[in-house]
Amino acid sequence: MSGNIDYINYSCYFTVFREGEQFTSYNALSMVISGEMELNDGVNKKIFRSGEIYFVRKNQLLKFLKKPGEEAEFKSLSIRFDDEMLKQMSEEEHFVVPEKLKTPAFIEVSVAKHLKYFMESLLQYQDLLENKSPELALLKQKEALILLFEHDQSLKNILYDVSNPYKVDLEVFMLKNYHFNVKLDRFAYLTGRSLATFKRDFEKIFGTAPRKWLLEKRLQEARYLLERGSKASDIYLDLGFEDLSHFSFAFKKQYGLPPSRVSF
């Protein structure tokens, strides 16, 4: 369950929860209150625990896993920063964004004690924020940004960049990110293409349609892992399948036997 006003969100989960679509569409600052948050961008993987704070970049592929603790549910607090506000602030500062920076999809900022004090103070405003006080929410967003930049001025280069993704090497991108569970239009956007151009470029490179290639690529990886002793229940989510039954059906259709029958 969660309570929120557009840009400040308090969330609570009593069971393990994974995000359905693994795409971050906005910049956000988050703190784990209880339980654990596991983040994985395909290269970097980290578990954040109670009191730890991290910044998540927009337009990134990122897997989330929220785990309750032994004696407490998972709770977190997040502040989302919308592009319009960021654009306005950068213009007021006459800030010019340099070349796009290649940084991880998430950055830990737990060492900034003033950020922790600030996030903890927001818990005292929960009722007011959940009752939709837009003036207070905007004030707290700006305060969070000021504290973030006080911690690391280079974060302006990331947050103030509100431009769309630029065109990238499609083959390299897809071979790296095929296991993320996102829609084709997300893949297209992240590679700097329209959906139609993405499909056209994709077929030129891979010789088949994106959906067919994604399914076959994920199933090939699944068979490789199963033949080395992995269990279907442990791998289907990491390979981009939404549920175990869908994975088992697709695997049997492709290889003629269910995942449980694969020997190693």
Side-chain angles (χ1 to χ4, degrees), residues 4-188:
N4 69 79
I5 180 168
D6 292 340
Y7 301 110
I8 298 182
N9 181 275
Y10 303 85
S11 64
C12 175
Y13 292 92
F14 295 90
T15 58
V16 174
F17 176 79
R18 289 180 187 256
E19 298 288 344
E21 189 180 50
Q22 299 156 349
F23 173 78
T24 60
S25 54
Y26 49 80
N27 295 299
L29 180 68
S30 299
M31 180 179 75
V32 176
I33 299 169
S34 62
E36 296 180 350
M37 169 70 92
E38 180 183 297
L39 299 181
N40 183 353
D41 65 4
V43 177
N44 303 285
K45 180 178 178 180
K46 183 170 176 58
I47 294 175
F48 293 92
R49 298 179 174 84
S50 177
E52 295 185 323
I53 306 170
Y54 56 90
F55 167 69
V56 171
R57 296 180 58 196
K58 75 166 189 171
N59 295 337
Q60 302 293 313
L61 294 171
L62 186 62
K63 296 181 181 182
F64 299 79
L65 179 60
K66 302 174 183 180
K67 303 177 184 178
E70 292 184 4
E71 299 179 357
E73 61 273 25
F74 172 84
K75 289 184 179 180
S76 69
L77 168 64
S78 300
I79 303 178
R80 167 181 162 184
F81 307 109
D82 64 295
D83 286 356
E84 193 59 40
M85 183 194 70
L86 292 168
K87 184 178 179 181
Q88 181 183 343
M89 288 185 66
S90 65
E91 288 175 349
E92 289 174 357
E93 295 181 31
H94 304 291
F95 186 86
V96 178
V97 177
E99 288 187 36
K100 287 181 179 288
L101 297 180
K102 291 187 178 181
T103 62
F106 60 91
I107 301 170
E108 182 172 9
V109 290
S110 301
V111 295
K113 291 184 178 179
H114 57 278
L115 275 173
K116 184 176 181 180
Y117 299 148
F118 168 75
M119 296 295 279
E120 289 175 342
S121 74
L122 283 183
L123 297 174
Q124 309 305 316
Y125 295 100
Q126 183 170 354
D127 290 340
L128 186 56
L129 290 166
E130 287 182 342
N131 288 326
K132 303 197 183 307
S133 173
E135 297 84 2
L136 179 59
L138 180 60
L139 182 66
K140 292 302 176 182
Q141 279 179 281
K142 290 184 175 180
E143 189 175 348
L145 283 172
I146 291 169
L147 292 173
L148 260 177
F149 298 152
E150 185 67 29
H151 167 64
D152 186 351
Q153 283 285 318
S154 70
L155 289 174
K156 287 185 178 182
N157 300 334
I158 298 171
L159 279 152
Y160 284 166
D161 181 4
V162 296
S163 61
N164 291 329
Y166 56 91
K167 201 167 187 178
V168 299
D169 186 309
L170 184 58
E171 183 175 11
V172 172
F173 182 88
M174 293 307 300
L175 288 172
K176 177 186 174 185
N177 297 301
Y178 66 87
H179 54 283
F180 283 94
N181 179 22
V182 296
K183 298 175 182 177
L184 288 187
D185 59 352
R186 298 290 203 195
F187 280 131

Side-chain angles (χ1 to χ4, degrees), residues 173-219:
F173 182 88
M174 293 307 300
L175 288 172
K176 177 186 174 185
N177 297 301
Y178 66 87
H179 54 283
F180 283 94
N181 179 22
V182 296
K183 298 175 182 177
L184 288 187
D185 59 352
R186 298 290 203 195
F187 280 131
Y189 177 71
L190 290 174
T191 59
R193 293 164 171 82
S194 67
L195 182 57
T197 302
F198 172 80
K199 289 180 177 179
R200 185 174 64 249
D201 290 352
F202 192 99
E203 293 202 24
K204 285 181 182 177
I205 295 168
F206 293 103
T208 188
R211 292 185 193 281
K212 185 174 186 294
W213 182 87
L214 283 167
L215 179 60
E216 291 178 351
K217 188 70 176 173
R218 291 165 179 170
L219 290 173

